[in-house]
Structure formats: structure tokens, C-alpha cells
């Protein structure tokens, strides 16, 4: 392919992309294929000579597309969304075309300086004070890993990277059972270990960790000779929206001089709406926090906003400066590769610039307000149905419910059967979770182009298929 062909195909694929998005409601949300379907149809060996793009694109449409779950579908109500608003997609197209590796200021000054400004725009948008500075990570999992590594280094007097964990004090990190499993993985990767993640009991409708239980656990570990290193907080947890009392937990952290990190991967985007900020009261006191503009704000995946009160701690944990990565003659510039685990970095900030300028904060706020309102309305309609019960009340646009008709013998099996039947039907996509050991159905509204009618349609699909299971 030459660049003339590239331009022609770029136009064709842009037209295809617009038609794809406009026609998504006519497609099943989840891929309706069986394991191995595509693999069996792909040649076992690569071609020796090049093939025409017409043939490649035809195979994409015929072979690949049927095996895709459509995350941009307006009736995607399963996992938290991975939105892709049109301006963000265009920005990613530009970034892919330039294909810059933006690891250092000198390797693309505009990428570094755009990232600095866009993270400050986001900081202002969610109401964080100017004591925080930000960096874009690929995912909230990477931000959580960076936080755990920082906890480890601070607790070990900055010797962990050099000496390893052998013959060091046994570190402890504290979180509730409502945090994302990325915390568990960070414990593995950091070398601290799963057994040293101490689960604190939760309380209240928001399923937040008990501050007094947290205090007792830390004291018990100190008495046992362990070394507490940090606390992972959550707001809007993935399963049912578990949210800690941030201010109270930070009060405990300060008693023991512990680093605190807040995972607000999904819910943090909603903090652009001032009336929702009660969900993270006390956030000013955390040492670091993360939220994902690629979940609810419309930014193309991947794009996680990681904010730090003292970036020097993170840089001290992660920075490696061989001679070939040094920029001589320019003092004071930021090299964001020193703020993240990977050295390589994409120009992620451009899509935020396109997105925020295209819509403005007020349009983005209204979309989130709508999603929250529509979700609460759906929960109310299901609550009024005789065979349904709301298990966890809406946290922003996320709630859980259960199908519980009289006479059912195994509610867990019945609800899993309902989820599977709904997803096989294809009109909407939902998922299950566990709440206090029982199977429940999880529902969230957040897809960028979702409408009130789409959420209303979900009610019709859920109740129709539930009734069909009774016959």
C-alpha cells in the first residue's frame, strides 16, 4: 500500500465507521459466536505474497465483525463502558498516523506539554485542588500498581528497588473487599504478596470499609511485627459501587503516616458534576487517585488520569535515567516516562483536547446526569415488579437486582440463566456479580450515545425474557 492508497482507504474506512456506529442498534450487542469459530476460518500459515486491500477488508467484515462484542452499542449495560466519542476517534487516527513515541519531552515536546495541560483541565473539571499534578496512564490498573510500588518504596526507606524484599520487614496494605482485582494483581507484581493485602470489613449502604476496623487491623499488624505501607480506597467499585468514607479512612491513615491511593476508575468521571461529589468527600487528603476518562467521558481507550499530591515520590520509585534518555540543555521539563511503569508512551492527551473542546464540560455533565437519572428510573420500574427485587441501590448509574419469583428453587441458577438468555437474545448486554455470596444481576448506564429509550427498552427485554423462563 502506498500513501495514495492509504488516503483512499482512509476515506472508505471513515465512511464505514460512521455507518457502523449509526447502525449499531440493528446488531446484537454481544458476539453471537462459539469458541473457535474465527480461529477455524483463519489460514494456519501467513501469506508469502501481499494481498489486495479489498480482499483483506472483505474478510474483516465477513470473518472478524461477527465475532466482535460491540462496546459502543447504546444498549451495552454490562461492564463499565469503554466509550469512543467521534472527536476522540479522530484524534486517535491522527496519533496513529504520526506514530510518535512520546516517552520524553525531547521525543515530542507537544505531547508532553499537552498532557500537562489536559491533566490540569481534568483536575479543575472534577474539583481537585491545585496541589495535585497528573499523568496519563494506560489503565487504572497501572496507576494502582504505581501507587503500590510507591507505598513499598516509602515504607522500605526507598531501598526496595535496590535490595529487593528479601530480609526486609513484611509489608501490609489495607483495602476492603469491594476494591477492584487490579489491587490483588498489584500485590503480586510488586512482590508484596496476596497474603499481605488485608481485607477490612465494610458497613452501610455504600459498602465502605469500617474506619475502626481499619485502625484495629493496623495496630494488630504493628504489634505482630509487620510494617503497614498504605491504604487503597475505592469509590464506585466495579461490582456494586462500593464506596469508602474517604475522609474517615484518611484520618486513620494520618495516625500511622500511611500513603493513601483512591481508585475512582469509573465514578471519578462523574465528579465533573458538582452534585455528585459527596461520593468522594475528603478526596483532597489522598496521596494519589485515578479515574478513567475512557470509561464515562467519551475518550477513546486507553486513557487513565492519575493524580498525585507529590509526584516526586512516584518519580523516585520509577525513574531510570541512562545517558541515552537524558535531555541536555533544558532544565525543568517533565519526562512522563518517569511517572509510569512502561518506558514507551503514546500521545494520549490529544484525544482529551479534541474531546473537551468539541463538547465542553457542560455537555459532558449533562450526559452523565442523564445516565444517572435513567438508571434510577429503571431501578424504580423493576422494584415495582412483583418478581424482582433491588439488591443494591443505585450508586450513580450502577445498581444490582435479582429475579425472585415465588416457587423458584435455586435463585442463583435462575438469575444466571436469565443473564445468559438476555445476552443470547442480543438486544441488550448485562452481566452478573456476587453480593454477600449470592448471584445478582448488575446493570449500569454509561455508553456515550445511549438514550432514555434504550434504557426503557432494557426493562422490556429483562421482564419479557424473565417471564418466558416461567413457561
Amino acid at each position: 500500500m502506498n500513501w495514495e492508497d492509504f488516503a483512499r482507504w482512509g476515506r472508505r474506512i471513515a465512511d464505514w465507521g460512521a455507518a457502523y456506529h449509526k447502525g449499531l442498534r440493528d446488531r446484537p450487542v454481544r458476539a453471537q459466536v462459539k469458541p473457535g469459530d474465527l480461529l477455524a476460518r483463519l489460514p494456519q500459515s501467513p501469506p508469502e505474497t501481499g494481498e489486495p486491500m479489498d480482499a483483506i477488508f472483505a474478510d474483516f467484515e465477513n470473518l472478524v465483525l461477527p465475532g466482535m462484542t460491540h462496546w459502543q452499542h447504546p444498549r451495552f449495560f454490562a461492564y463499565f463502558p469503554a466509550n469512543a466519542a467521534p472527536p476522540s476517534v479522530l484524534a486517535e487516527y491522527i496519533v496513529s498516523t504520526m506514530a510518535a513515541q512520546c516517552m520524553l519531552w525531547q521525543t515530542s515536546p507537544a505531547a508532553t506539554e499537552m498532557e500537562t495541560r489536559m491533566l490540569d483541565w481534568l483536575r479543575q473539571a472534577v474539583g481537585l485542588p491545585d496541589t495535585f499534578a497528573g499523568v496519563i496512564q494506560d489503565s487504572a490498573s497501572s496507576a494502582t500498581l504505581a501507587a503500590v510500588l510507591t507505598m513499598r518504596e516509602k515504607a522500605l526507606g526507598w531501598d526496595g528497588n535496590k535490595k529487593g524484599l528479601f530480609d526486609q520487614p513484611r509489608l501490609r496494605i489495607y483495602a476492603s473487599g469491594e476494591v477492584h482485582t487490579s489491587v490483588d494483581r498489584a500485590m503480586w507484581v510488586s512482590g508484596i504478596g496476596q497474603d499481605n493485602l488485608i481485607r477490612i470489613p465494610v458497613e452501610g449502604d455504600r459498602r465502605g470499609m469500617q474506619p475502626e476496623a481499619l485502625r484495629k487491623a493496623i495496630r494488630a499488624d504493628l504489634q505482630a511485627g509487620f510494617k503497614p505501607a498504605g491504604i487503597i480506597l475505592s469509590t464506585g467499585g466495579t461490582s456494586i459501587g462500593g464506596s469508602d468514607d474517604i475522609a474517615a479512612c484518611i484520618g486513620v491513615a494520618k495516625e500511622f503516616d500511611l500513603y493513601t491511593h483512591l481508585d475512582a476508575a469509573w465514578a471519578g468521571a462523574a465528579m465533573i458534576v458538582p452534585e455528585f461529589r459527596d461520593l468522594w468527600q475528603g478526596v483532597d487528603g489522598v496521596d494519589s487517585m485515578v479515574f478513567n476518562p475512557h470509561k464515562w467521558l467519551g475518550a477513546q481507550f486507553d486513557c487513565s488520569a492519575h493524580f498525585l499530591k507529590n509526584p516526586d515520590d512516584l518519580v523516585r520509585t520509577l525513574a531510570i535515567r541512562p545517558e541515552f534518555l537524558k535531555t541536555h540543555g533544558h532544565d525543568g521539563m517533565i519526562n512522563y516516562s518517569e511517572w509510569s511503569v512502561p518506558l514507551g508512551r503514546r500521545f494520549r492527551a490529544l484525544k482529551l483536547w479534541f474531546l473537551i473542546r468539541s463538547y465542553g464540560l457542560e455537555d459532558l455533565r449533562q450526559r452523565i446526569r442523564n445516565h444517572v437519572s435513567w438508571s434510577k428510573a429503571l431501578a424504580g420500574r423493576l422494584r415495582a415488579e412483583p418478581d424482582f427485587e433491588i439488591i443494591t441501590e443505585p450508586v450513580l448509574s450502577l445498581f444490582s437486582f435479582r429475579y425472585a419469583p415465588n416457587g423458584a428453587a435455586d435463585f442463583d441458577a435462575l438469575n444466571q440463566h436469565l443473564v445468559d438468555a438476555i445476552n443470547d437474545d442480543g438486544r441488550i448486554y448485562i452481566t452478573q456479580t456476587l453480593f454477600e455470596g449470592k448471584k445478582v444481576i448488575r446493570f449500569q448506564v454509561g455508553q456515550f450515545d445511549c438514550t432514555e429509550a434504550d434504557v426503557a427498552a432494557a426493562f422490556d427485554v429483562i421482564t419479557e425474557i424473565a417471564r418466558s423462563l416461567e413457561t
Side-chain angles (χ1 to χ4, degrees):
M1 175 181 284
N2 57 39
W3 289 108
E4 286 74 20
D5 291 335
F6 168 84
R8 179 168 58 86
W9 274 99
R11 288 188 290 271
R12 178 170 171 180
I13 289 173
D15 289 341
W16 177 90
Y20 167 77
H21 277 265
K22 289 188 288 185
L24 276 172
R25 285 185 181 85
D26 298 327
R27 298 179 184 270
V29 190
R30 194 179 73 171
Q32 305 289 298
V33 296
K34 297 178 181 178
D37 279 358
L38 176 61
L39 188 62
R41 300 179 69 184
L42 292 173
Q44 294 187 0
S45 301
E48 292 293 337
T49 58
E51 301 178 54
M53 191 65 183
D54 286 299
I56 298 170
F57 195 75
D59 281 349
F60 161 75
E61 291 189 296
N62 296 326
L63 302 181
V64 178
L65 201 55
M68 294 301 296
T69 290
H70 302 294
W71 282 72
Q72 306 311 312
H73 200 296
R75 296 179 182 176
F76 184 105
F77 302 118
Y79 310 98
F80 292 141
N83 281 315
S88 178
V89 175
L90 292 175
E92 282 288 83
Y93 192 7
I94 294 170
V95 168
S96 295
T97 302
M98 291 190 295
Q101 215 281 44
C102 306
M103 59 185 175
L104 307 171
W105 177 87
Q106 65 166 312
T107 62
S108 280
T112 294
E113 294 176 20
M114 178 70 77
E115 185 162 343
T116 299
R117 183 62 71 213
M118 290 305 98
L119 268 293
D120 197 61
W121 279 15
L122 288 178
R123 177 196 63 77
Q124 296 175 56
V126 299
L128 287 175
D130 61 8
T131 50
F132 285 90
V135 58
I136 301 177
Q137 307 284 12
D138 56 2
S139 67
S141 297
S142 290
T144 298
L145 173 59
V148 169
L149 292 171
T150 303
M151 292 174 185
R152 185 193 73 187
E153 289 306 295
K154 284 178 68 72
L156 296 178
W158 309 102
D159 269 347
N161 283 335
K162 181 179 180 181
K163 296 181 179 179
L165 300 185
F166 178 74
D167 204 29
Q168 297 271 30
R170 187 168 175 179
L171 302 181
R172 303 288 241 193
I173 290 176
Y174 308 87
S176 82
E178 298 296 330
V179 297
H180 193 269
T181 51
S182 61
V183 178
D184 301 70
R185 183 169 291 174
M187 298 296 288
W188 303 349
V189 176
S190 68
I192 297 174
Q194 180 83 53
D195 290 348
N196 294 305
L197 177 60
I198 308 304
R199 301 289 190 177
I200 306 300
V202 298
E203 62 185 2
D205 292 340
R206 286 186 172 175
R207 306 284 291 175
M209 76 168 99
Q210 301 172 13
E212 186 54 37
L214 173 62
R215 182 179 287 108
K216 289 180 179 178
I218 295 170
R219 285 175 175 164
D221 280 345
L222 287 168
Q223 292 173 0
F226 300 128
K227 190 168 186 59
I231 301 169
I232 307 287
L233 303 169
S234 173
T235 193
T238 301
S239 179
I240 50 86
S243 300
D244 293 320
D245 183 335
I246 295 169
C249 292
I250 287 173
V252 176
K254 288 181 177 178
E255 291 178 30
F256 300 96
D257 192 26
L258 296 183
Y259 189 103
T260 53
H261 175 72
L262 172 63
D263 181 354
W266 164 67
M271 301 303 107
I272 68 171
V273 184
E275 61 264 33
F276 296 153
R277 291 178 189 165
D278 66 304
L279 202 62
W280 73 356
Q281 285 183 356
V283 67
D284 296 6
V286 301
D287 293 293
S288 63
M289 62 84 60
V290 64
F291 79 90
N292 291 339
H294 66 236
K295 278 192 165 70
W296 212 355
L297 287 185
Q300 174 93 19
F301 182 84
D302 52 5
C303 184
S304 287
H306 182 192
F307 291 96
L308 304 114
K309 189 167 288 181
N310 184 5
D312 289 346
D313 286 344
L314 181 63
V315 172
R316 189 172 181 181
T317 299
L318 297 178
I320 298 177
R321 298 186 178 104
E323 181 62 30
F324 57 81
L325 292 181
K326 294 178 181 178
T327 300
H328 294 282
H330 295 278
D331 296 327
M333 91 291 291
I334 295 173
N335 290 323
Y336 281 118
S337 61
E338 298 177 348
W339 296 41
S340 55
V341 174
L343 174 62
R345 310 193 87 250
R346 298 174 62 249
F347 187 4
R348 298 186 181 98
L350 191 68
K351 57 193 165 193
L352 289 174
W353 193 48
F354 273 47
L355 176 78
I356 296 171
R357 292 187 65 189
S358 293
Y359 293 100
L361 291 178
E362 190 49 44
D363 183 290
L364 297 173
R365 289 188 190 105
Q366 191 55 49
R367 287 172 188 266
I368 291 174
R369 288 187 179 110
N370 287 343
H371 294 165
V372 171
S373 175
W374 299 338
S375 182
K376 288 181 177 178
L378 177 62
R381 293 184 70 186
L382 287 172
R383 192 193 315 273
E385 290 291 301
D387 292 336
F388 289 85
E389 55 186 7
I390 301 301
I391 302 299
T392 59
E393 296 295 329
V395 175
L396 299 172
S397 67
L398 169 66
F399 69 93
S400 68
F401 66 95
R402 190 169 166 92
Y403 180 48
N406 290 330
D410 186 340
F411 286 131
D412 281 359
L414 177 63
N415 278 268
Q416 186 62 60
H417 185 28
L418 176 57
V419 169
D420 294 341
I422 288 171
N423 291 337
D424 288 343
D425 172 81
R427 284 175 286 173
I428 68 172
Y429 185 24
I430 58 176
T431 190
Q432 72 287 330
T433 191
L434 292 176
F435 177 76
E436 295 182 345
K438 61 184 179 182
K439 190 74 64 74
V440 300
I441 299 173
R442 179 185 176 280
F443 191 96
Q444 70 80 35
V445 181
Q447 201 284 324
F448 202 74
D449 291 326
C450 178
T451 66
E452 188 171 11
D454 290 314
V455 181
F459 174 84
D460 295 335
V461 172
I462 291 167
T463 52
E464 172 195 325
I465 293 180
R467 304 296 182 233
S468 74
L469 299 183
E470 299 176 3
T471 60

